[in-house]
Amino acid sequence: MKDNKKVVYWLLTGCALIFVMVVVGGITRLTNSGLSISNYKLIHGVVPPMNQQEWIEAFELYKQYPEYQKLHYHFNLEDFKDIYFWEWIHRVIGRLIGVVFIIPFLYFLFRKQLSKSTIRKCIILLALGAFQGFMGWYMVKSGLVDRPSVSHYRLAAHLMTAFITFAYSFWVALDIIYKNKVKPAVPNLKKWIWAGMIVLILQITWGAFVAGLDAGFIHNSWPLMTDGKWIHETVYIELEPIWRNFIAGKSGVQFIHRYLAWFVFVAILIIWNKARKLNLTSAQKNGINSVLLIVCLQILLGIFTLIYNVPVWLGVTHQVGAFFLLASMTFILHRFSK
């Protein structure tokens, strides 16, 4: 039987692993652990240093790069071990995701348990996974030349590739779960959901900019920015020309992330308001209600993350909230698309 429950479980397992990887990636970023491993070994990299000599060699390699020389020059071997752990586990999970996607795919393919449509979608999914791995290393490389941190643009690309890979995996699973598709009650609602999805993707991207620039550690008040201002002057004078402030300036990207959140909220509120007037299936109704609940919680998490100066647990929880919000938006888009 093609596209059976085993295929669904496989895809959802992949989604769960991507979720875990995003969580660990958030911890890796917030603990400044991402540049602790400065080389890439696909097979041997699975095994961490196993004795004192190997740890010393790994630490000596780390000392050759800007992060140690400019930021962590005070680190001893035990400090290095702490940050090494998070980057190592992040990479191991990435390899595990590759194995979990490739081996079952080949099994289902040879057993002829996938439809032609699902095979095409899975090939796209594998390509996204491979690109995600490449983006991870491409991001790390940006912090190994002359700067003690990775490019926030590459960080955003790496994070968004993970989110998009998850969303597509989830979408393929939903295609199988809901074989008897229903038409959207009102086509215009689908347009609003797409609009909300686009704004949400932009918001997540600027959230990655905030993380990459450590922009969450300034203007730690709400609803006003520093000095009781809605728009602090550093938003537009930090960099030249002015437009660069909004993609590369700390104050500017935080400003965008602060206020773009309200566009996401308004879009979802409009979707919810339009949907409650319609005769919906239980899946559609529950999906719409979940999106509204999650966006409210996510805004609260964002506010508390800011005013408490981005503690690791709140920063990671806020990133998890973005993950669940994207998942719920993917779900309702799917249910109103078929």
Side-chain angles (χ1 to χ4, degrees):
M1 182 179 177
K2 295 184 176 182
D3 293 348
N4 54 34
K5 287 184 178 180
K6 291 181 181 179
V7 177
V8 173
Y9 294 149
W10 162 55
L11 291 167
L12 292 180
T13 299
C15 290
L17 284 173
I18 295 172
F19 168 75
V20 173
M21 190 171 186
V22 168
V23 172
V24 174
I27 297 173
T28 301
R29 172 61 198 164
L30 289 168
T31 56
N32 293 313
S33 303
L35 295 175
S36 57
I37 304 177
S38 49
N39 55 13
Y40 186 81
K41 297 179 181 178
L42 182 60
I43 304 301
H44 294 104
V46 175
V47 181
M50 300 300 292
N51 54 55
Q52 185 72 2
Q53 182 57 38
E54 290 181 359
W55 274 114
I56 292 173
E57 290 174 1
F59 190 30
E60 289 301 317
L61 180 62
Y62 176 65
K63 289 180 179 181
Q64 298 176 22
Y65 294 98
E67 185 176 77
Y68 174 82
Q69 295 166 358
K70 297 181 180 181
L71 289 180
H72 293 163
Y73 47 82
H74 59 284
F75 268 25
N76 57 35
L77 184 58
E78 294 305 313
D79 296 322
F80 172 69
K81 288 180 180 180
D82 289 339
I83 63 171
Y84 187 99
F85 169 78
W86 288 112
E87 176 62 10
W88 174 76
I89 196 68
H90 186 56
R91 294 190 184 196
V92 168
I93 294 170
R95 290 175 173 87
L96 178 61
I97 290 173
V99 171
V100 166
F101 272 110
I102 293 171
I103 293 179
F105 171 69
L106 294 175
Y107 171 81
F108 291 130
L109 187 63
F110 289 132
R111 295 294 298 270
K112 297 182 179 180
Q113 295 182 4
L114 301 174
S115 66
K116 290 183 179 180
S117 174
T118 302
I119 291 172
R120 288 194 295 269
K121 294 170 185 174
C122 288
I123 290 172
I124 294 172
L125 185 55
L126 291 173
L128 283 171
F131 184 66
Q132 165 69 359
F134 164 76
M135 284 306 306
W137 179 238
Y138 185 61
M139 176 189 69
V140 168
K141 282 183 65 178
S142 67
L144 300 178
V145 182
D146 56 3
R147 54 185 290 172
S149 61
V150 300
S151 162
H152 70 288
Y153 299 120
R154 297 187 190 186
L155 173 69
H158 182 52
L159 179 66
M160 289 312 303
T161 306
F163 273 63
I164 291 169
T165 303
F166 163 81
Y168 191 72
S169 303
F170 190 36
W171 186 280
V172 177
L174 290 172
D175 276 345
I176 300 172
I177 293 170
Y178 292 98
K179 290 184 178 180
N180 298 318
K181 309 296 193 303
V182 297
K183 293 291 182 181
V186 178
N188 284 339
L189 190 59
K190 179 185 172 183
K191 295 178 182 178
W192 274 104
I193 296 172
W194 262 118
M197 178 69 88
I198 291 169
V199 177
L200 175 60
I201 289 172
L202 289 174
Q203 172 68 343
I204 295 171
T205 301
W206 256 265
F209 287 171
V210 169
L213 292 169
D214 289 330
F217 296 98
I218 60 173
H219 309 306
N220 298 106
S221 58
W222 189 89
L224 304 179
M225 300 181 79
T226 308
D227 301 329
K229 299 176 180 178
W230 289 101
I231 306 177
H232 197 266
E233 59 268 16
T234 52
V235 167
Y236 47 84
I237 67 171
E238 188 177 347
L239 299 173
E240 292 288 345
I242 290 177
W243 61 266
R244 287 195 63 234
N245 288 283
F246 302 105
I247 60 171
K250 290 187 178 184
S251 295
V253 298
Q254 193 199 103
F255 172 79
I256 295 293
H257 193 55
R258 276 175 176 253
Y259 294 107
L260 198 55
W262 297 111
F263 284 89
V264 175
F265 176 74
V266 169
I268 290 174
L269 192 61
I270 291 172
I271 293 167
W272 177 83
N273 186 56
K274 288 180 175 292
R276 70 188 182 91
K277 303 172 185 177
L278 305 175
N279 183 22
L280 306 178
T281 65
S282 58
Q284 290 172 326
K285 186 181 299 183
N286 291 337
I288 293 288
N289 289 335
S290 297
V291 167
L292 182 62
L293 175 62
I294 293 170
V295 75
C296 291
L297 291 174
Q298 178 65 351
I299 288 174
L300 286 174
L301 281 171
I303 293 169
F304 284 117
T305 300
L306 182 67
I307 63 178
Y308 284 106
N309 202 32
V310 199
V312 172
W313 73 271
L314 259 179
V316 172
T317 305
H318 185 47
Q319 185 166 297
V320 168
F323 194 95
F324 279 111
L325 186 54
L326 180 68
S328 60
M329 285 292 288
T330 301
F331 179 81
I332 64 170
L333 181 59
H334 187 277
R335 295 321 307 134
F336 282 95
S337 294
K338 302 290 181 69

